[in-house]
């Protein structure tokens, strides 16, 4: 499957950071795995800078990682990086990317000193950044602008189909309080249902565009779910986080007033809440708390004990709902998924 570069909304926010910070802050892009962080960052570096160095800490050897043990000589560090990667850096015209920075906490801690040096821009990407084991023993740099990257939304999905007209048209009609018309409505709602089934994970969208085959799209999404659940076991070897994640479709389909932590199995409530916090921190789920007074000060009436969980991506939700069955072209029927997506 070929790698596609999709137009993403976050690109404009990255441009704003570059222009406004002028090297005074690093950019940290965090989000769940496979949402396209590494892809958009490298594309940004290619377009907006004269040169760049990409350090992927998931694959990097000790020759690079050990450079961050001693920050007393930044000139030496920069010289070594240029030699190792074979890239010439240019003052204020180059960027250094720390990909999967949570795997090298001392590199993240070094951002404070690297930004103070001022010669280059720095972009970090990471998943599960708030887990304690990823920040233990380091000082979190204050010189970071944080952006959250989510799966592709419906407008980005339309962009992937070279549809740049629908949303400006909808905005114009909304402002004028004019109807869109039945033919246009049917075309848009068909695409929206396609988006709900596919979701916004770039690999899934690529699979759909290339083969127009839901079986292949489902295989891609199952691989992502397996990757997520493997990640859950890293911070919760008991498997309770994975069980909570898999319980989301069942809880929503039963129209319960709140999510039941009993899906995690045994253990104290405090332990279950700790596991829930780790799940939320992974950005793979969205949590929605009950409120009694939805006014501007909404946090004042939030009930922390009453909440529902949602999978952060609709396509992964659909696949998770049918995870126990082998895929079939006819398994996803609208009457089955509509109540759970409502």
């Amino acid at each position: 499957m070929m790698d596609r570069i999709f137009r993403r909304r976050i690109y404009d926010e990255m441009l704003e950071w570059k222009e406004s910070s002028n090297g005074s802050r690093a950019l940290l892009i965090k989000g769940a795995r496979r949402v396209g962080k590494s892809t958009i960052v490298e594309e940004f570096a290619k377009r907006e800078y004269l040169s760049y160095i990409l350090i992927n800490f998931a694959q990097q050897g000790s020759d690079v990682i050990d450079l961050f043990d001693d920050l007393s000589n930044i000139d030496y560090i920069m010289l070594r990086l240029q030699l190792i990667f074979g890239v010439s850096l240019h003052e204020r015209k180059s960027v250094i990317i720390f990909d999967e920075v949570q795997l090298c906490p001392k590199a993240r801690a070094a951002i404070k000193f690297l930004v103070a040096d001022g010669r280059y821009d720095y972009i970090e990407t990471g998943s599960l950044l708030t887990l304690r084991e990823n920040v233990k023993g380091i000082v979190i740099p204050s010189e970071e602008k944080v952006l959250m990257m989510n799966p592709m939304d419906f407008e980005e999905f339309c962009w992937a189909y070279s549809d740049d007209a629908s949303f400006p048209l909808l905005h114009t009609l909304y402002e004028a309080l004019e109807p869109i018309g039945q033919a246009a409505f049917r075309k848009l709602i068909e695409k929206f249902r396609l988006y709900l089934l596919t979701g916004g994970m770039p690999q899934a969208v690529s699979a759909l565009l290339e083969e127009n085959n839901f079986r292949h799209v489902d295989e891609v999404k199952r691989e992502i779910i397996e990757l997520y659940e493997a990640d859950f076991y890293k911070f919760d070897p008991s498997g309770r986080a994975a069980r909570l994640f898999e319980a989301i479709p069942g809880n929503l389909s039963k129209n319960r007033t709140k999510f039941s932590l009993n899906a995690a199995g045994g253990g104290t409530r405090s332990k279950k809440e700790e596991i829930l916090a780790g799940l939320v921190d992974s950005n793979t789920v969205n949590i929605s708390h009950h409120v009694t007074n939805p006014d501007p000060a909404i946090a004042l009436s939030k009930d922390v004990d009453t909440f529902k969980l949602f999978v952060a991506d609709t396509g992964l939700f659909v696949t998770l709902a049918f995870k126990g069955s082998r895929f079939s072209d006819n398994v996803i029927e609208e009457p089955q998924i509509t109540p759970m997506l409502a």
Side-chain angles (χ1 to χ4, degrees):
M1 183 171 62
M2 63 177 288
D3 292 330
R4 289 176 178 262
I5 308 297
F6 293 113
R7 177 183 171 190
R8 301 301 298 270
R9 193 184 308 281
I10 199 173
Y11 196 97
D12 290 337
E13 297 179 73
M14 296 168 69
L15 275 176
E16 182 182 351
W17 158 78
K18 183 177 184 292
E19 294 168 2
S20 62
S21 70
N22 194 31
S24 62
R25 287 190 296 172
L27 178 64
L28 169 61
I29 298 179
K30 66 178 183 176
R33 295 180 68 180
R34 300 294 179 89
V35 296
K37 301 185 298 297
S38 302
T39 301
I40 196 66
V41 165
E42 186 167 13
E43 183 68 11
F44 183 80
K46 290 177 180 177
R47 292 186 182 185
E48 309 300 334
Y49 292 90
L50 186 60
S51 66
Y52 71 94
I53 288 177
L54 172 62
I55 304 174
N56 184 342
F57 288 111
Q59 303 172 347
Q60 204 58 59
S62 59
D63 56 340
V64 171
I65 293 175
D66 291 345
L67 288 174
F68 299 100
D69 287 333
D70 182 4
L71 303 174
S72 62
N73 191 342
I74 292 180
D75 287 339
Y76 173 76
I77 294 174
M78 294 305 152
L79 178 61
R80 288 288 297 150
L81 287 176
Q82 291 175 83
L83 288 172
I84 292 170
F85 289 95
V87 174
S88 295
L89 295 175
H90 308 272
E91 187 168 341
R92 302 302 321 131
K93 294 181 180 179
S94 297
V95 62
I96 299 176
I97 301 168
F98 291 171
D99 197 18
E100 299 293 350
V101 71
Q102 79 278 359
L103 300 178
C104 185
K106 59 186 179 182
R108 188 181 179 197
I111 285 294
K112 177 179 181 66
F113 305 96
L114 297 175
V115 167
D117 175 68
R119 276 177 281 183
Y120 314 116
D121 283 350
Y122 297 88
I123 302 178
E124 307 162 90
T125 74
S127 310
L128 303 172
L129 280 172
T130 53
L131 292 179
R132 285 192 294 273
E133 54 264 37
N134 290 332
V135 296
K136 185 178 180 181
I138 72 168
V139 176
I140 302 299
S142 59
E143 297 79 8
E144 286 178 337
K145 176 179 175 62
V146 180
L147 293 179
M148 175 65 72
M149 189 170 185
N150 298 305
M152 298 167 69
D153 61 24
F154 182 46
E155 184 173 13
E156 291 172 317
F157 184 80
C158 289
W159 292 341
Y161 274 86
S162 301
D163 177 6
D164 298 331
S166 291
F167 271 78
L169 173 62
L170 287 172
H171 181 75
T172 300
L173 292 174
Y174 177 79
E175 292 292 330
L177 299 179
E178 294 289 340
I180 190 174
Q182 286 298 316
F185 172 77
R186 284 194 296 270
K187 184 177 179 180
L188 267 177
I189 203 66
E190 179 181 349
K191 186 174 290 184
F192 182 63
R193 287 171 175 164
L194 185 63
Y195 167 70
L196 291 180
L197 294 175
T198 306
M201 305 303 285
Q203 285 181 302
V205 178
S206 289
L208 180 67
L209 288 171
E210 289 172 20
E211 301 190 24
N212 197 32
N213 183 321
F214 267 118
R215 183 181 297 277
H216 184 47
V217 174
D218 186 71
E219 289 173 356
V220 170
K221 291 189 293 178
R222 286 174 185 261
E223 290 174 0
I224 295 174
I225 288 174
E226 290 174 2
L227 177 68
Y228 283 179
E229 293 185 340
D231 280 344
F232 298 155
Y233 276 93
K234 293 177 183 177
F235 71 86
D236 173 43
S238 71
R240 281 177 286 189
R243 289 196 292 272
L244 281 179
F245 184 71
E246 292 188 346
I248 291 174
N251 268 263
L252 292 174
S253 67
K254 295 173 183 175
N255 290 320
R256 291 175 173 167
T257 57
K258 64 179 181 178
F259 188 87
S260 174
L261 287 175
N262 291 331
T268 64
R269 180 172 181 82
S270 62
K271 182 60 178 177
K272 292 177 182 178
E273 290 175 347
E274 180 182 339
I275 292 172
L276 173 65
L279 197 61
V280 173
D281 282 344
S282 73
N283 301 310
T284 58
V285 303
N286 294 327
I287 187 168
S288 177
H289 288 276
H290 176 70
V291 296
T292 56
N293 186 16
D295 60 15
I298 194 169
L300 296 177
S301 63
K302 182 174 76 172
D303 183 351
V304 296
D305 294 322
T306 306
F307 59 88
K308 287 191 175 184
L309 282 184
F310 301 86
V311 180
D313 178 74
T314 61
L316 294 185
F317 171 82
V318 171
T319 295
L320 188 63
F322 296 99
K323 186 170 180 284
S325 305
R326 293 186 62 185
F327 180 82
S328 118
D329 289 330
N330 299 316
V331 75
I332 301 174
E333 298 175 359
E334 186 180 356
Q336 290 177 293
I337 68 167
T338 299
M340 291 187 279
L341 295 177

